[in-house]
Amino acid sequence: MKPTNLFQRVVVLSAVLSVLLAASANAQKVVKPKPGPAGSWRVIGTVQANFRGDHDTIIVAGPNDDFRKLKFKVTDAPLNLRRVVVIYDNGQPDKLEVRQDIRKGGESRAIDLKGAGKRSLRKIEFWYETKGILQGKADVTVFGMK
């Protein structure tokens, strides 16, 4: 017995929705950092950590992208920042084990980057654990210092 045309459409639509939901679990955001004086912290980008995903990606579009340090500020809910991978313009990754609990309204420690000021950032990926549905979604802002 052949499946009906409606049944085939439902199966295809279900498959497409599954792929879209899986892709949205790892949100990617493209940002352009603003210029500022050396030695000051500048916002690179902000993402909202949700309960479906466990990591996010910020794609950094130059020209103000040669940072020496990073830090993460968390608002609205606590977060456990586990790992950060920074990809430079030459494609080389810098894998950083952070493992830091950040309370609501708190910040991570300053994280030194290798080859400081000599390489431009292209992508920042970070893995985290949210601290419970009842606490809400955490807004995570990534800062960079030149």
Side-chain angles (χ1 to χ4, degrees):
M1 196 170 185
K2 274 181 125 179
T4 65
N5 195 17
L6 179 60
F7 178 74
Q8 289 174 336
R9 288 181 185 174
V10 169
V11 169
V12 170
L13 182 59
S14 296
V16 168
L17 285 174
S18 296
V19 169
L20 289 174
L21 285 174
S24 69
N26 175 20
Q28 289 191 351
K29 184 173 185 177
V30 178
V31 297
K32 274 190 150 183
K34 297 193 182 332
S40 66
W41 288 103
R42 287 182 250 158
V43 173
I44 295 175
T46 301
V47 297
Q48 189 175 66
N50 61 41
F51 310 112
R52 288 185 307 249
D54 70 343
H55 91 279
D56 284 298
T57 302
I58 294 178
I59 297 171
V60 184
N64 303 298
D65 53 9
D66 52 333
F67 296 101
R68 295 181 298 122
K69 298 180 182 211
L70 295 178
K71 74 176 176 179
F72 294 77
K73 182 174 176 72
V74 177
T75 56
D76 298 331
L79 186 88
N80 179 330
L81 184 62
R82 295 183 310 189
R83 181 168 63 116
V84 176
V85 175
V86 175
I87 308 292
Y88 296 101
D89 57 352
N90 63 359
Q92 205 159 2
D94 193 357
K95 297 175 184 176
L96 310 162
E97 294 297 325
V98 178
R99 294 189 181 114
Q100 184 175 0
D101 284 321
I102 305 172
R103 70 186 189 296
K104 177 180 173 179
E107 298 180 350
S108 73
R109 66 185 179 278
I111 302 165
D112 291 320
L113 300 176
K114 295 177 184 169
K118 297 177 185 158
R119 300 188 290 182
S120 296
L121 299 182
R122 285 298 159 248
K123 187 173 13 174
I124 302 167
E125 290 187 80
F126 54 99
W127 284 258
Y128 55 82
E129 292 174 352
T130 54
K131 294 291 191 171
I133 291 174
L134 298 177
Q135 306 245 6
K137 295 179 180 180
D139 286 328
V140 182
T141 303
V142 182
F143 292 85
M145 179 188 285
K146 285 197 175 201

